[in-house]
Amino acid sequence: IKDYDLVKRTDDVGKYIHAALADMIENGAGRGKVEKLRGENAGTFIAFDGVTSETRDKLILEMRKQGVHMGGCGDKAVRLRPMLVFERKHADLFLERLEKALGQL
């Protein structure tokens, strides 16, 4: 963890993902489909809700079809809990696939 400065990396990548998700929810493919983004300044521990449980379930299914495993929590939430070695390049792949999946809902 110290050798690769993973705590700082997780913080930086988390801020990057959170900002991109906020924009996607406000102005992009997630508008009207996902809401209540949480986890700002919490590293990559980020969550958001589908507007309905059905929307959340469809999103998780679409992401799995694209090779991304995401978990649901509670009635409508999606939680992101990537590994410490998750880098910006991985975040870009995730965000690209999430935008595509949201566009298919």
Side-chain angles (χ1 to χ4, degrees):
I1 292 172
K2 288 181 182 180
D3 289 347
Y4 294 98
D5 203 12
L6 294 180
V7 174
K8 171 117 173 65
R9 180 186 303 173
T10 299
D11 183 53
D12 292 343
V13 172
K15 287 177 182 173
Y16 176 72
I17 294 170
H18 193 278
L21 286 171
D23 185 56
M24 196 179 299
I25 291 168
E26 186 71 26
N27 305 306
R31 188 177 182 144
K33 299 172 186 170
V34 294
E35 60 189 8
K36 298 181 184 174
L37 177 62
R38 304 177 291 287
E40 187 172 18
N41 298 316
T44 54
F45 278 23
I46 297 172
F48 55 86
D49 291 349
V51 293
T52 65
S53 58
E54 292 82 14
T55 301
R56 188 269 317 261
D57 294 344
K58 287 179 185 177
L59 175 60
I60 290 172
L61 181 62
E62 285 300 319
M63 290 296 282
R64 287 185 181 161
K65 288 178 185 177
Q66 295 185 50
V68 178
H69 178 73
M70 292 185 352
C73 180
D75 293 330
K76 303 188 300 183
V78 173
R79 295 192 312 179
L80 307 179
R81 301 294 187 264
M83 298 179 294
L84 286 175
V85 295
F86 194 79
E87 298 178 6
R88 191 170 174 151
K89 66 183 178 183
H90 304 117
D92 287 335
L93 289 170
F94 165 73
L95 292 165
E96 175 186 307
R97 292 176 184 182
L98 179 63
E99 186 169 20
K100 181 178 178 184
L102 287 167
Q104 293 175 349
L105 296 183

